[in-house]
Amino acid sequence: MAYDDENERYFALTSHAFGTITPSSGRFTEVQVDPSLGEFSWPKGIAFDRARRQVYVMTSHVYTRFYRFDPRTSDWKSLPSEIRDLSLVALTHSPTEDCLYGLQYRYGDTALNLIHRFNETGAILGAISLQPAIPVPGGLGSSLQLHESGGRLVLVLPPLDLDHPAGNRVFVVDPATGEVLRPAVDPVALASSSTGS
């Protein structure tokens, strides 16, 4: 998901669709993708650019492609980059660096090793090697979330065991060095205890 703070709405992806989520109801409303863009399948990442007030959507299957959506006009634009055999599963926009970050993961991988950096047209600017790599025993069957906060990248993984979802699956990455930190306190548990829920 990606949050538009000015209009208090979320943009989100399903396996094959793009749309908005109304926070009060949690309802997903599909937004039609411009058919002139050609193949728009397997959307894997979404990011909101606060300065431009636009949404980036990344699809990743055989090719990784980037698209930009303007919610004010409903206009879509296909960005020029088309990258073969780069499997990405999450996307975020860094307002301080005005760039995109995408997490590399191929089905069956047992660790997360790389985050790639892209400019506003989707061109690769380089990769960050995660130190240490983040193990994903048994692979990942669910979506991951990648966010930017205060110049750091925040990676949220699904629980290892859906029957026992406790445990901290949040990692903070320094994009300058690739250093991976794991917060000592589970932010979800902390938020729940502070709100009394």
Side-chain angles (χ1 to χ4, degrees), residues 99-154:
C99 71
L100 297 165
Y101 285 100
L103 177 67
Q104 180 176 319
Y105 173 76
R106 190 175 304 277
Y107 181 76
D109 284 353
T110 57
L112 302 172
N113 295 292
L114 294 172
I115 293 178
H116 295 270
R117 191 168 176 255
F118 304 89
N119 69 13
E120 74 281 356
T121 68
I124 295 179
L125 299 176
I128 301 163
S129 179
L130 300 181
Q131 304 294 328
I134 300 170
V136 285
L140 293 167
S142 302
S143 297
L144 298 98
Q145 294 283 322
L146 183 63
H147 302 279
E148 189 277 345
S149 179
R152 301 290 177 105
L153 302 176
V154 180

Side-chain angles (χ1 to χ4, degrees), residues 39-52:
E39 183 182 357
F40 182 94
S41 62
W42 300 104
K44 299 286 187 174
I46 187 168
F48 189 70
D49 181 338
R50 290 185 191 96
R52 296 179 182 91

Side-chain angles (χ1 to χ4, degrees), residues 47-63:
F48 189 70
D49 181 338
R50 290 185 191 96
R52 296 179 182 91
R53 312 306 301 175
Q54 296 187 351
V55 183
Y56 287 94
V57 178
M58 171 194 67
T59 63
S60 187
H61 190 48
V62 175
Y63 288 92

